[in-house]
Amino acid sequence: LESKILSAEERATARDRTLYQELIDELTTHAQRMSATAAAVARLDVHSTFADRARRWSYCRPAMTDEVGISICEGRHPVLEEIQREPPFIPNDTRLNARQRMLVITGPNMGGKSTYMRQTALIVLLAHAGSWVPAAAATIGPGTRLVVITNPNNPTGAVLAPSAIAEGGEVAAAVESVNPVEEEFKMGWQ
């Protein structure tokens, strides 16, 4: 009896391994179809979420153009708009084009500079992902990079260095990182 009990555990473990391997072998034959189905469900999930947010928060369909630039009328930050009720979020306009390729935004601490930059970046990213955007109107041109400079070492907003010195260095580094002679739209929207 004792040997039957001891061997029963070994037999059960061996049977579990056999059943598990059979399951893996069977699933492997369907892996390509399951992967394609999962990808289709993921796309459906993304697009249904885009549609729900667009309807719920009155997003507009952005015009995608071959002309260099960004034109956002009454743009809103998609996260702050939802969580900040009082005071209500105030929409902002953004205009960049072949002549005005960069904005240097200055102002007091907690004045909304980072929010404005992130809002613009999010609107551009949403548009390029195929979503409608939180704005009254938006026209988004081609580009390869959107440069937003904030202080990543200072998420709390506490003053770590004199702002003019820190921000001046960041702007200088951004300007040096692009070639201003190229015909492409470089600074700000690249």
Side-chain angles (χ1 to χ4, degrees):
L1 180 66
E2 182 179 343
S3 67
K4 283 185 176 181
I5 292 173
L6 292 176
S7 67
E9 183 178 334
E10 290 174 11
R11 284 192 316 268
T13 301
R15 181 70 177 144
D16 284 349
R17 273 194 219 118
T18 301
L19 290 173
Y20 180 74
Q21 189 58 50
E22 288 174 4
L23 177 63
I24 295 299
D25 293 344
E26 178 66 22
L27 291 175
T28 301
T29 65
H30 303 288
Q32 192 171 13
R33 254 188 354 194
M34 290 187 323
S35 180
T37 301
V41 169
R43 282 191 300 276
L44 181 62
D45 180 45
V46 167
H47 290 291
S48 67
T49 300
F50 282 169
D52 177 65
R53 293 198 60 82
R55 181 191 48 79
R56 183 180 302 171
W57 294 99
S58 301
Y59 285 12
C60 76
R61 181 179 183 182
M64 303 303 285
T65 180
D66 290 333
E67 293 183 29
V68 172
I70 300 171
S71 177
I72 301 169
C73 178
E74 296 182 20
R76 307 178 314 269
H77 192 292
V79 176
L80 291 182
E81 170 178 59
E82 187 172 340
I83 63 173
Q84 179 180 320
R85 304 284 186 209
E86 291 299 325
F89 187 82
I90 298 172
N92 300 284
D93 293 349
T94 302
R95 302 273 187 273
L96 292 172
N97 55 46
R99 285 186 34 202
Q100 168 95 38
R101 302 187 307 179
M102 180 171 72
L103 298 173
V104 176
I105 303 166
T106 63
N109 288 344
M110 303 301 289
K113 301 177 299 292
S114 294
T115 299
Y116 175 77
M117 291 185 284
R118 288 182 178 112
Q119 164 191 309
T120 302
L122 286 169
I123 289 172
V124 170
L125 289 172
L126 285 169
H128 278 280
S131 175
W132 287 25
V133 298
T139 302
I140 310 293
T144 57
R145 286 194 304 177
L146 181 65
V147 179
V148 175
I149 302 170
T150 61
N151 189 347
N153 299 321
N154 186 9
T156 64
V159 177
L160 300 178
S163 293
I165 294 170
E167 291 169 4
E170 291 169 353
V171 170
V175 170
E176 288 174 10
S177 74
V178 295
N179 181 354
V181 177
E182 290 182 19
E183 292 291 324
E184 295 180 30
F185 191 50
K186 282 291 185 187
M187 299 179 220
W189 171 237
Q190 301 182 11

